[in-house]
Amino acid sequence: MVNADEIAKLCYDWFNQLPRRGKPEPGREWTLLAAVVKITRCAKSGTVDKEVVSMGTGTKCIGQMSMSPSGDILNDSHAEVIARRGCIRYLIQELRRAVSGGGDSAVFCMADQKGKWRLQSGVSFLFFTSHTPCGDASIIPMTDSKAQPCPPVPSVKGHGGTSIGGKRKADEPNQGGNTKIPCLVEQETGETRLEDKEDTKQPYFLLSSKSGNLSKSHLPETAVETVSQASAQLEIKTTFPSDTGLHLPVPDIHRTGAKCVPSGPADPLQAGVGYHSTGVLRVKPGRGEPTLSLSCSDKLARWAVLGFQGALLSHYLQEALYFTTVVVGKCPYSEEVMQRAMVTRCSHVSHLPAGFSLCPPVLLQSSLEFPFSQAQIKLRHQAGHGRISPCGAAISWCNVTDEPLDVTANGYKHGITKKALGTPKARSLLCKLELFHSFLSLVSATDPSALPDSLRRKELQTYWDYKQASQTYQQAWQQLRSQAFPLWPRSNRDLLLFH
Ligand SMILES: *[C@@H]1O[C@H](CO)[C@@H](O)[C@H](O)[C@H]1NC(C)=O
Ligand SMILES: *[C@@H]1O[C@H](CO)[C@@H](O)[C@H](O)[C@H]1NC(C)=O
Ligand SMILES: *[C@@H]1O[C@H](CO)[C@@H](O)[C@H](O)[C@H]1NC(C)=O
Ligand SMILES: [Zn+2]
């Protein structure tokens, strides 16, 4: 059993010693942090060694329209996805060490199937994230202790200058507690925020009836837009006037900006706990448009069945790689809801091919908060220091010899000029194309006699070909898709034909 606080501290300290580039502007910008930690247990000495092998920050996701058919752009830059992709770079390097002989890898050793590798005994991987993953895991019932006083609401139209984000008058009493109007409070565990929409964001909306009906027809159009498009997580606290004049709090939930996948039913958007559907697949919000990228809750649930190694590395591995533990930093959190989002949704999946199994992670929360979380930045923000916003850059660090740091913005290398867009210089080392090339160099480094059978077919050319040829991975995915996630959007083959 690992200590959640120890893991959180290890990760925050690791973040601190990374270079400045791509980090949030202190006191004004926030970001999300995730990491993959390698745990090595030595049976002989009884020691447990913990080492960050990949770390990611980032809050953004790029919309479908700007997605590239050459695989040279990072479409999803949420910290969890960045950390996992950096981990793939790290694993490719370790496999390279392993295939070039000499038992050089601290991670992999030869497995009994030809051309396949497995983890060294005592080695496992843990996933850390500074916040509850976006999507299903973020739809958390509110507890009274978490409810916050609402700022006074002047009038329906009085939303103009009153931005809750950052300027919330948290210290002001709730004007005698008689405010009959529910308020909407942005909460800390943010996801992608639409920077360019923040000005039009409306912090409040009104209930038109005592029933607490928040259906669209009862809302001013702009408020509906806020609810459906604001991509930051929202917390809504409602107080309904009752006939006796008592103001009883109504149970409510934290909300996610990730919308239900387009092919499925939408959220009911009812007041309080009836706002969201639970246990469903969701897509990340992007700049004004939903993206094709699934929420981090969905991706973590998928990794718990298919492993986090992906289709390409499955060629080399006898068994999928699973995170044994998921640690979340201090933020709104519910173990029950995490369990639903990460585990229960897939716990009935059967008929997985050899090498795959249901490996639900141990779920832990730390009491230590990431100093650059949205909540921390709000607490420390001073008037006149600019608007609070999510940091636009994404940092990846992973333990590889060549270019361990990869800082990006908008899916390309940070600071790249417009002219360089589309050139190799602009590419993130985490983009599909670069990971594919890195994988191909592993294949070339493998002695032909030691190649796994699935890579011996001559006709393999494109990224798509190599992924499809990973047969057991594809079989496992078919089982998972048909039994648990039939609405998971199919990847567009035309976007994966690069080589
Ligand atoms: C809310 O209002 C809508 C539209 O007026 C109506 O169809 C729906 O039944 C109402 N729901 C509740 C819970 O009152
Ligand atoms: C990017 O978009 C594709 C196609 O919609 C999707 O399959 C893929 O998972 C996305 N990539 C990331 C890193 O989320
Ligand atoms: C990176 O990994 C190597 C072993 O592969 C290890 O010796 C080294 O300490 C690691 N570096 C860091 C900074 O963790
Ligand atoms: Zn996310």
Side-chain angles (χ1 to χ4, degrees), residues 17-76:
Q17 58 80 49
L18 290 178
R20 213 19 255 108
R21 206 171 150 77
K23 283 190 176 176
E25 188 188 310
R28 193 183 73 78
E29 289 184 325
W30 55 271
T31 195
L32 309 172
L33 179 75
V36 177
V37 178
K38 183 179 79 158
I39 312 277
T40 312
R41 280 167 216 277
C42 179
K44 249 199 231 142
S45 62
T47 54
V48 179
D49 180 55
K50 304 173 196 75
E51 183 188 313
V52 177
V53 294
S54 173
M55 173 162 279
T57 72
T59 62
K60 306 276 182 177
C61 197
I62 285 173
Q64 197 176 345
M65 291 315 142
S66 30
M67 247 160 57
S68 156
S70 50
D72 68 348
I73 186 167
L74 267 182
N75 48 345
D76 182 343

Side-chain angles (χ1 to χ4, degrees), residues 209 211 213-215 217-218 270:
S209 74
S211 70
N213 194 325
L214 282 179
S215 73
S217 59
H218 287 196
Q270 282 160 11

Side-chain angles (χ1 to χ4, degrees), residues 67 75-76 81 85 292-294 299 432 491-492 495:
M67 247 160 57
N75 48 345
D76 182 343
V81 170
R85 293 192 148 229
L292 290 178
S293 297
L294 274 284
K299 291 190 173 181
K432 287 190 173 79
S491 41
N492 183 347
L495 292 177

